[in-house]
Each structure stands twice: as structure tokens, then as C-alpha cells.
Amino acid sequence: MVFRNARVGYARIPGAPMASVFPVLKMLSGQAADPDAAQAYTTDYTGLWDGDIELLTASELKRRHPDFPVFTIVQYPHSRLAACYEHLILGEADLPAYFEENRFRKEMPVNEFLERVLETTDLVADNLLRSQASMLHHKGTLVPDLILDFNKLPSDWSKLRSLLKRQSNVDIGEGPAAIEMPTHETAEAIRDSLYFSQVLRHYRRDYKLFFDNGNGEPPARERSWKNADAADELRGQASSSGLV
């Protein structure tokens, strides 16, 4: 998503990450004056596209707007899966066609849900299941210039606020709206699942690239991996983060 007047781009990670920044996107598109309205988990962004927004591929972005910085928000893969399970499997809405066609079903148990996720390759996965590393890379290079951790948004928010003040002369305020997805119970069910260790392996690139290892060591992208070498090293290897 490229906001021409604001001179900035946003790399979309669907689900709670996008919901948390939705009021900011409304501001950047020229449709809202402040970002303080509470925003529930949603995949319905009706009306957002009426503002100042271009939907571009990474190649188009770099060609048309090479000076536009890009930001994104990432979330722990197991938390993304828990939120997806709550919203799609336990929620009231009908399953989207992709999930029906791939033998997901309403009210399916967590273990069955994870088994179906793990049988799905990244190349054909819906973006709610696809790895964030895959979505955010283009030709071996990370597209976003600023990557925020969904779980650290209250402390990391100042980085995004500074970027947008400098680039767009837009003040997004002191903090994001609270997004409570997934619930603690569903998150624990994912972590306690028989398939949790396989989930960690399946999304090892995400864990290694975007999240610390719990010992205070920064993620790979913050050490020295900002180019194709990082992607090459991560491809096909088990994480050394201690999570697997």
C-alpha cells in the first residue's frame, strides 16, 4: 500500500498486525484526522481504498517511488495462527473459499487445524498462513525499511511516529489501539499442541529473521542480514534461535 501524498509505503501483514495500524492507514490515506479510535480485529477494510492509496508490487514501488520508506508490523507465527483459528474456524462468518477448498472446516480442533496448515506449502498458502519472511522479501532483499514487532508496539511506536512525522508531517499519536487477538486460551492451545514444534520449524525463517531468541539477542535482521545473503542462509535451515 503506497500513500502518494504522505510519501510512504506500508507492507501488509493481514490480521492483527494490519488491524493494529488501521487507524494510521486511514490517516495516511487522508480519511481521518486522528488515530485514536479503537479498532477490533477485522478483515473488512471497506472504505479504506477510497482514499489516497496505490496498491503496488515491490518492483513497481521501487521503480515509481524509490525514495518512499516502507514500514510493516510482524507478529509471532504461532500467534498469527491462533488469531486465524479464532477468527476463521471459531468465528461466525463462513470460511473463505481458499480454506474450504483446502479442507479446513468450521469448529475443527486445534490439532487438526495445525495439521492442515503444516501440509500447505508457502507457495500456495493464503496470506493469513504464509510466512512473513516470504511476503516481505523481494529478490532476496527485505522490502520494509522499518519493521515493528506486534508484541512490542507500545515501546516501538515512537519509531513509526518519528518516521511519519519526518516523511509525511503526520502525527499518529503516542500509541496504537489495543488489539486482543488471539485470546490467551487459544494461544495456549497452540503452544500446547502436538504440532507446536513443527510450527516452529515450518516458520523458522520468520522466528530467526524478525524475533529475538529470548536471551536478549537481537533478530537476524538487526545484526547484519539486510540482503540476499540473509535469505540464502535462512533458506532450508533449522533455526538456531533455541525455539526449535
Side-chain angles (χ1 to χ4, degrees):
M1 297 175 65
V2 176
F3 304 90
R4 293 159 295 191
N5 292 335
R7 300 178 58 80
V8 69
Y10 168 64
R12 294 182 291 167
I13 300 296
M18 185 169 176
S20 68
V21 79
F22 181 53
V24 173
L25 304 182
K26 294 279 284 187
M27 286 188 69
L28 294 175
S29 69
Q31 297 190 77
D34 67 75
D36 297 327
Q39 174 64 40
Y41 181 97
T42 182
T43 56
D44 181 9
Y45 299 108
T46 302
L48 177 62
W49 317 112
D50 297 333
D52 173 49
I53 296 177
E54 285 182 300
L55 295 180
L56 301 180
T57 65
S59 295
E60 290 171 331
L61 168 66
K62 296 303 181 183
R63 184 175 68 253
R64 298 186 196 180
H65 309 293
D67 58 333
F68 283 18
V70 177
F71 69 94
T72 194
I73 298 173
V74 294
Q75 185 181 23
Y76 283 123
H78 55 274
S79 295
R80 289 185 71 218
L81 292 181
C84 181
Y85 178 80
E86 282 190 349
H87 182 62
L88 293 182
I89 306 302
L90 302 183
E92 295 181 358
D94 293 338
L95 282 178
Y98 168 88
F99 290 88
E100 283 195 339
E101 292 167 2
N102 285 274
R103 306 197 313 277
F104 291 87
R105 59 184 177 84
K106 301 296 285 188
E107 303 297 334
M108 66 195 304
V110 165
N111 281 336
E112 184 179 345
F113 170 75
L114 293 180
E115 185 177 21
R116 292 297 307 123
V117 170
L118 295 168
E119 291 172 352
T120 306
T121 65
D122 224 28
L123 291 176
V124 299
D126 183 89
N127 279 343
L128 286 171
L129 308 178
R130 189 180 172 197
S131 75
Q132 294 160 103
S134 176
M135 285 190 281
L136 298 177
H137 269 90
H138 176 65
K139 293 184 177 179
T141 301
L142 274 170
V143 174
D145 303 284
L146 176 63
I147 301 175
L148 304 180
D149 182 342
F150 178 80
N151 289 326
K152 298 179 180 178
L153 271 187
S155 60
D156 282 357
W157 194 253
S158 60
K159 300 175 185 177
L160 180 59
R161 189 181 187 186
S162 295
L163 170 68
L164 297 181
K165 274 187 175 181
R166 181 176 66 251
Q167 182 71 14
S168 312
N169 197 30
V170 169
D171 189 352
I172 61 173
E174 296 183 353
I179 303 294
E180 297 184 0
M181 285 288 283
T183 63
H184 177 75
E185 290 77 13
T186 305
E188 284 298 302
I190 296 288
R191 294 184 67 91
D192 292 341
S193 166
L194 298 172
Y195 293 98
F196 185 59
S197 62
Q198 294 179 50
V199 167
L200 297 178
R201 288 194 294 272
H202 189 78
Y203 293 100
R204 59 186 174 270
R205 291 184 65 203
D206 280 8
Y207 287 109
K208 189 169 185 178
L209 193 60
F210 300 125
F211 305 102
D212 62 43
N213 63 2
N215 297 319
E217 182 181 352
R221 66 181 171 83
E222 293 183 1
R223 298 199 290 271
S224 61
W225 303 9
K226 188 67 175 176
N227 52 35
D229 293 339
D232 290 342
E233 183 165 344
L234 286 168
R235 191 174 293 116
Q237 293 186 8
S239 172
S240 62
S241 67
L243 290 167
V244 180

